[in-house]
Amino acid sequence: MMSSPQSYLAMQEHADHVFGAQYDDVRERYASEIRDLEMDDLITQEHYEYLQKVQDAGFDSPEEYEAYWKHLLETAEREHYNG
C-alpha cells in the first residue's frame, strides 16, 4: 500500500521535528559540557598561577603565604589605628 505524497510529507515533517529536537538536545548537552570543561580549565589555570606567585614570593606553601599576608595586614591596621 502506497502512501500519498501529502501523508509522506506530513510524516517527514514529523520525523524532522522529532529527530531535529533530539539533535538540538544533544548539541545543547555537548555545548554545556564544553562550557563546563572550559570553566574547569580556567579554574585550574588560575590555581597554578596562584601557586606560582606563592613560589615566586619565596614561600613554601600557600598557607605560609596567606599567614604572612594576614600578619602584614593586621600589623598595618594596628599601627594605623593605634598610631
Side-chain angles (χ1 to χ4, degrees):
M1 178 182 203
M2 300 209 48
S3 8
S4 71
Q6 291 162 336
S7 78
Y8 175 77
L9 290 175
M11 288 186 326
Q12 184 65 40
E13 183 178 330
H14 176 72
D16 288 347
H17 173 73
V18 170
F19 291 115
Q22 287 177 343
Y23 293 133
D24 286 345
D25 291 347
V26 170
R27 279 193 295 269
E28 178 56 35
R29 187 178 77 230
Y30 284 139
S32 177
E33 288 177 8
I34 288 170
R35 285 190 301 271
D36 289 346
L37 290 170
E38 289 170 343
M39 185 58 71
D40 286 346
D41 285 345
L42 180 61
I43 291 168
T44 300
Q45 179 183 348
E46 288 176 352
H47 175 72
Y48 284 114
E49 287 174 1
Y50 174 75
L51 292 178
Q52 187 63 51
K53 287 179 185 179
V54 168
Q55 185 179 18
D56 291 347
F59 294 93
D60 293 328
S61 71
E63 295 78 17
E64 191 179 311
Y65 180 76
E66 294 293 329
Y68 168 78
W69 279 104
K70 181 179 177 186
H71 171 74
L72 190 66
L73 291 172
E74 288 172 351
T75 302
E77 287 176 358
R78 262 195 321 270
E79 289 178 4
H80 175 73
Y81 291 116
N82 293 331

